[in-house]
Amino acid sequence: MQHAGFEAWCVGGAVRDALLGLAHLDWDLATSATPQQVRRLFKRTVPVGIEFGTIGVLDRDGRMHEVTTFRHDVQTDGRHAVVQFGASLDEDLARRDFTINAIAYDPIAKVLRDPFEGRGDLSRRLVRAVGTAEERMREDRLRALRAIRFAARFDFEIAPETWAAIVGSAPHLTRLSPERVKQELDKTMEQVRRPSVALTRWRESGAFASLIPALSTVSDAALQAVDALPLPVLAARPLRKPLRFAALFSACDGKDAEQALRALRFSNQDIATIASLVDRFRRFGEDLRVSLADGKVPTDAALRRLAASVGRLRVSAFLRLCVACWHPLTHEGDRVSQRRDTLRVYRRLMHIAFHDPIEIADLAIDGDDLRRAGVAAGPQLGRTLQRLIDAVIDDPSRNTTETLLAMALAHE
């Protein structure tokens, strides 16, 4: 682009992360060229946000980089801005959120442009708004949540005037779409090793009160439980992120958690998984903790009932949630013995879940067998099947065709 007579600078998170020594593949550019000029300069482009001056340019590896024309805001409603082109680089940087994101780099001339001392704030480990913090938050309410995430991700502090602006912005966060709020929570769970740092700031700033009232008084113990669960960075571990959310909602009623998740536009699958884990933890977690603390390992029958209620595919996640939520409540000296007993329960519960009959589908007979034996179709048949699986959970040796038919007909 510079060969064509236009300014072109690397900007945004990639520059920030490079200065922090972190890998970053998404290099975006700011340029003096208009969107139409950018499209003429490159063969493979995508108009990803042409009304805001952004064109996606595909490199030789097929990776897309956003190229955005220098701009400044003309009008904003707290989330969407009307922009005007023809600004200088410094004017473009002045409209950005935080000083650490308002640094530009020219890789050809090897020149760093840092008009707002962002590099100094990186050294000071500080998140500070560009210019007047209150104005930056008013321009885009999402910036309050982004500041909190950046500070937690990089283990930075938030500048006092920026924090005051975040607190002042909290009542206005309802202008954000549920999808944007969920996206920030997702990024926090995915990027931050200790999410409690960010989530505590959500609580203290009033963000939870405005956006997720069910979490407005979330306890320190619930936030510490989130920290006890690993980062969801492995595709082979798809339950890691739902588990972190289950820990966050662990002090809530299962139905309250479901309502909050639905309001945030979580997928139906995630809602079912998280709400179910929260509900089962609330129903069984405390009794199991007390039992293990007293050195009493549950019987196989009790573990079969637990596995039946939790569901065999969620047994492992349920126990991981329990251990995370128990961690802040367990004295350091008791953790070794609890970990040992929990491991014993985990092994037995996993074996039971996948080898013992705990679901109606595991019965040696089915509805067709019962109808042929004379059990009327309809609700009565369903109740009979439930009674039989309850009996088999208590004693798996009953799971034979002859025994189950005899038990079913004895009640007809």
Side-chain angles (χ1 to χ4, degrees), residues 58 125 235 239 330:
L58 299 173
R125 308 182 70 79
L239 281 178
T330 307

Side-chain angles (χ1 to χ4, degrees), residues 229-299:
L229 292 160
L231 277 168
V233 295
L234 299 176
R237 298 287 189 274
L239 281 178
R240 282 189 174 182
K241 188 164 68 172
L243 263 175
R244 282 190 154 193
F245 279 110
L248 176 61
F249 283 95
S250 60
C252 298
D253 178 84
K255 290 186 177 179
D256 291 339
E258 180 179 350
Q259 290 176 357
L261 295 167
R262 201 168 296 284
L264 289 169
R265 308 292 195 270
F266 276 69
S267 70
N268 288 336
Q269 180 179 349
D270 282 345
I271 291 171
T273 298
I274 297 167
S276 174
L277 286 170
V278 170
D279 177 71
R280 300 311 189 269
F281 172 74
R282 297 281 292 171
R283 288 168 56 187
F284 305 114
E286 180 60 16
D287 287 345
L288 185 57
R289 183 187 72 83
V290 171
S291 178
L292 292 177
D294 291 341
K296 301 174 183 176
V297 178
T299 64

Side-chain angles (χ1 to χ4, degrees), residues 321-359:
L321 175 62
C322 287
V323 171
C325 292
W326 296 339
H327 188 269
L329 307 175
T330 307
H331 296 296
E332 187 68 34
D334 297 330
R335 285 177 183 163
V336 174
S337 60
Q338 186 191 68
R339 190 179 299 114
R340 182 184 61 246
D341 290 341
T342 302
L343 183 59
R344 289 174 56 198
V345 169
Y346 176 83
R347 288 170 176 165
R348 287 175 58 198
L349 191 55
M350 290 297 290
H351 184 273
I352 284 170
F354 288 93
H355 291 85
D356 285 7
I358 60 171
E359 298 177 353

